[in-house]
Amino acid sequence: MNEIRYAGTANDSIVDGPGLRFCIFTQGCPHRCPGCHNPQTHDFNGGKTADLSFFTEKIRKNPLLDGVTFSGGEPFCQAKALAALARELKDTDLNIVTYTGYTYEYLTENADESNGFMELLECTDILVDGPFIQELRSIELKFRGSSNQRIIDCRKSLETGAVAEIDPDTL
């Protein structure tokens, strides 16, 4: 699990979480939400692969970053590799934001050693969960595309066993 299949990266993103971020758009998504703004990331055979050092070198070169965002595609389809990358960045002050079309409840209920869901949740500071629903789309929402999607304090949620949502205006 030392490789990540990805569609692309964005350095200095300000729309994929709070602050200045390095964003990895993973390749492959089972949700295929109608109206998705990244349909090119759906094909599990598309994109390209790179080992973890490819990403850590790019990330460490930018001292202005506040964090790293895993977006999609569906990051939880590569949860073990992304968790390994997040662990490699532990010596930095970078926070981790992970977007997913799954809900927090689905991920915690279906986590096992083989899928790595819990490994990635444990490395994630902020989780934006839920599928994109075109009928609930709003361009006025901060860091999400549709109003059903939640911004979750992942660490607090894991500690308390209950979903702890974050008011987007506090980010």
Side-chain angles (χ1 to χ4, degrees), residues 86-146:
R87 285 192 295 268
E88 283 200 19
L89 298 170
K90 280 294 179 197
D91 63 334
T92 66
D93 290 330
L94 301 174
N95 59 59
I96 303 293
V97 172
T98 305
Y99 283 77
T100 180
Y102 295 113
T103 62
Y104 174 85
E105 292 84 353
Y106 176 87
L107 292 168
T108 55
E109 290 167 12
N110 291 284
D112 62 35
E113 287 186 31
S114 67
N115 61 34
F117 289 176
M118 192 56 70
E119 289 177 58
L120 184 52
L121 287 171
E122 289 171 349
C123 295
T124 296
D125 296 291
I126 297 173
L127 182 75
V128 181
D129 83 336
F132 172 74
I133 298 176
Q134 197 164 9
E135 295 77 18
L136 299 177
R137 176 182 182 262
S138 172
I139 59 170
E140 296 179 8
L141 296 169
K142 198 172 183 181
F143 306 129
R144 54 201 169 124
S146 59

